[in-house]
Amino acid sequence: MSSNTTGTSASSHQVVENDYFGSNPPPKALPKHVAAAESFINHHAAAGRRVVLVTSGGTTVPLEKHTVRFIDNFSAGTRGATSAEYFLESGYAVIFLHRQFSLLPYSRHYSHSTDCFLDFLHENPDGSVVANPSHQDKMLRVLREYNAAKRQNLLLMLPFVTITDYLHELRAVAQLMRPLGPNGLLYLAAAVSDFFVPADRMSEHKIQSMDVTEILKQQGPTTQTTEPREVQQEEETFDNFDSSPAVPRSKRLIVDLDPVPKFLKNLVDGWAPEGMIVSFKLETDPAILVYKAKYSLERYQHHLVIGNLLSTRKWEVVFVAPGHKDRWIRVPISRRKKTLSGVEELVGAADRDSTSEADKPLDPATLPEGEPEIEIESLIIPAVEELHSKHIEVASSKK
Ligand code: PAZ
């Protein structure tokens, strides 16, 4: 039995894995996804092509098996969808494991909530619908790139919804990537929930705000079709927060969540042992970002952690990799526009040359309004690709 730096034995990771996957059922689509991923991976492995698994978007945490309510997070899938495009541009085949209805590579340019799809279209006098003239060039370029990726079978899209779906899919696809050896890259940009309700504690049906079954039992079958007086009263009491500010415990919904097991160690040691593994770390407090990224790297012993802050994630990220100095990657000064405050001298103030300043996170107040002119993923992907090339080089020198 081997031990890692945290003193946890290898077999205890296996026990947790067996327990989690044995007691939280896989998504229905898993066998179909596995078949598609297997043929995609084998095709590209035979061609000696690099394959990247990009995970993207948030994961839901259902509160009920017949799910009406769930816990979610903010992630729109911008990082994942944008990165997938740059990986394709760099010659990778991409498995895009994404949260259903989050942003997709290529179509993301026209499906984001700020860009209504219909605004990109124009009606000709003959009644035909075409791209708006001002968007023609970009739309043609995006369409051609999308069609080229499809034609060459370079992009496989696999959707998931819940945290458990995601973990089942991740494990299955990572294991299928083994034949790629070091040519496999796992780029884990999804915002994965840290907490969940285990299947054995999950309510089967919609959680009720009153005990309907008890009331129906008391009333008997003949009165069930008319609205029962007791039910009305129950609802009124529940809604009447003003006269009853201290809501009784029996009326509250107390959600009891378990921690989601950390499977990064299982991924590194067992699921995809030869591939390069890149995880993301999101924080909101700049003071702890680098510490948390280093902690994750130390704990899971993988190849790269990309740290980012919620408020500045489109402007800068930090690469934390073993044997490398921390490296901040930023949208260059010339690509920033006016500041939030409108004070011109602040423009680019965060693009500091002095090493000590450049090693610190940006102050969000110095950033321009809106989106950067270039996508930070256009800088991230070449830097990841370079590290991946080194990873492949080192692996082949060991053979
Ligand atoms: O999807 P998005 O572009 O809105 O956000 C991307 C992100 C911040 C979720 C991603 O860059 C990231 O940090 N993912 C890992 C989050 C975490 O588990 O810490």
Side-chain angles (χ1 to χ4, degrees):
M1 191 188 297
S2 66
S3 256
N4 63 22
T5 49
T6 57
T8 324
S9 69
S11 71
S12 81
H13 287 288
Q14 193 58 54
V15 170
V16 173
E17 181 180 330
N18 294 346
D19 185 51
Y20 182 89
F21 288 100
S23 54
N24 294 285
K28 282 203 183 80
L30 188 65
K32 201 175 89 193
H33 288 176
V34 164
E38 191 168 19
S39 98
F40 185 86
I41 290 164
N42 291 342
H43 171 75
H44 293 295
R49 189 171 288 118
R50 295 183 188 186
V51 178
V52 59
L53 169 65
V54 175
T55 72
S56 183
T59 55
T60 68
V61 175
L63 302 185
E64 299 126 343
K65 285 185 184 157
H66 296 271
T67 309
V68 173
R69 302 186 184 92
F70 54 86
I71 300 173
D72 205 351
N73 67 52
F74 74 97
S75 171
T78 312
R79 173 82 78 225
T82 312
S83 300
E85 283 179 29
Y86 288 104
F87 275 122
L88 286 160
E89 200 179 302
S90 294
Y92 282 76
V94 176
I95 302 174
F96 188 64
L97 181 59
H98 64 282
R99 160 76 179 279
Q100 187 184 36
F101 307 133
S102 63
L103 295 180
L104 300 175
Y106 305 113
S107 70
R108 74 180 170 101
H109 297 276
Y110 305 103
S111 60
H112 200 272
S113 54
T114 52
D115 298 324
C116 173
F117 175 67
L118 295 175
D119 290 336
F120 293 95
L121 300 178
H122 172 81
E123 183 182 340
N124 274 339
D126 66 359
S128 59
V129 177
V130 291
N132 206 321
S134 59
H135 295 289
Q136 280 277 353
D137 290 350
K138 183 177 172 192
M139 211 179 245
L140 181 63
R141 182 177 55 74
V142 172
L143 183 65
R144 282 184 178 160
E145 284 171 8
Y146 171 65
N147 283 335
K150 273 206 317 192
R151 209 175 35 249
Q152 297 166 62
N153 184 28
L154 287 169
L155 178 59
L156 177 68
M157 312 254 214
L158 303 177
F160 64 82
V161 178
T162 69
I163 170 68
T164 298
D165 296 354
Y166 166 80
L167 290 170
H168 274 283
E169 298 269 353
L170 175 66
R171 181 171 74 154
V173 177
Q175 288 172 341
L176 289 170
M177 288 176 77
R178 282 186 192 152
L180 294 160
N183 269 354
L185 171 63
L186 293 98
Y187 180 89
L188 310 174
V192 180
S193 176
D194 288 326
F195 303 97
F196 80 121
V197 183
D200 60 2
R201 283 217 317 269
M202 208 185 288
S203 166
E204 182 71 27
H205 289 287
K206 185 185 164 206
I207 298 169
Q208 298 293 314
S209 57
M210 57 189 178
D211 195 348
V212 189
T213 24
E214 194 48 40
I215 294 165
L216 290 176
K217 229 190 287 165
Q218 282 169 20
Q219 289 182 336
T222 48
T223 53
Q224 281 185 18
T225 48
T226 56
E227 178 159 34
R229 263 167 62 85
E230 287 87 339
V231 171
Q232 263 176 358
Q233 278 168 1
E234 281 273 347
E235 280 181 342
E236 280 157 16
T237 318
F238 184 68
D239 289 342
N240 194 359
F241 286 102
D242 287 338
S243 59
S244 169
V247 182
R249 196 179 164 81
S250 62
K251 302 285 183 202
R252 293 193 189 140
L253 175 62
I254 296 165
V255 182
D256 188 10
L257 302 171
D258 275 11
V260 172
K262 304 285 183 203
F263 288 119
L264 205 44
K265 193 72 196 148
N266 305 53
L267 180 66
V268 174
D269 290 344
W271 304 349
E274 285 188 77
M276 175 169 162
I277 296 170
V278 179
S279 71
F280 276 78
K281 174 59 68 190
L282 173 75
E283 291 299 338
T284 55
D285 178 356
I288 65 169
L289 177 65
V290 172
Y291 171 81
K292 291 287 293 286
K294 284 185 194 296
Y295 177 82
S296 170
L297 201 62
E298 171 72 13
R299 183 163 186 198
Y300 304 114
Q301 302 279 301
H302 54 306
H303 308 100
L304 171 65
V305 179
I306 303 182
N308 54 174
L309 292 163
L310 186 64
S311 54
T312 58
R313 68 191 190 282
K314 295 190 178 171
W315 298 91
E316 67 172 4
V317 297
V318 58
F319 274 34
V320 178
H324 290 76
K325 195 175 165 300
D326 303 341
R327 176 178 173 200
W328 287 90
I329 292 185
R330 297 196 165 97
V331 173
I333 186 168
S334 56
R335 305 306 183 110
R336 299 186 193 163
K337 292 181 282 185
K338 70 176 181 3
T339 62
L340 271 177
S341 63
V343 181
E344 280 309 314
E345 70 252 32
L346 287 182
V347 175
D351 229 14
R352 301 142 301 199
D353 287 334
S354 93
T355 317
S356 61
E357 279 294 283
D359 284 348
K360 286 188 200 146
L362 289 170
D363 174 357
T366 64
L367 291 175
E369 209 173 333
E371 306 271 305
E373 274 180 41
I374 67 160
E375 295 173 317
I376 192 162
E377 291 78 8
S378 69
L379 308 174
I380 296 174
I381 304 313
V384 170
E385 190 188 352
E386 200 182 311
L387 291 173
H388 191 202
S389 297
K390 285 192 189 133
H391 175 83
I392 295 168
E393 234 173 78
V394 170
S396 49
S397 71
K398 282 183 185 159
K399 278 192 180 154

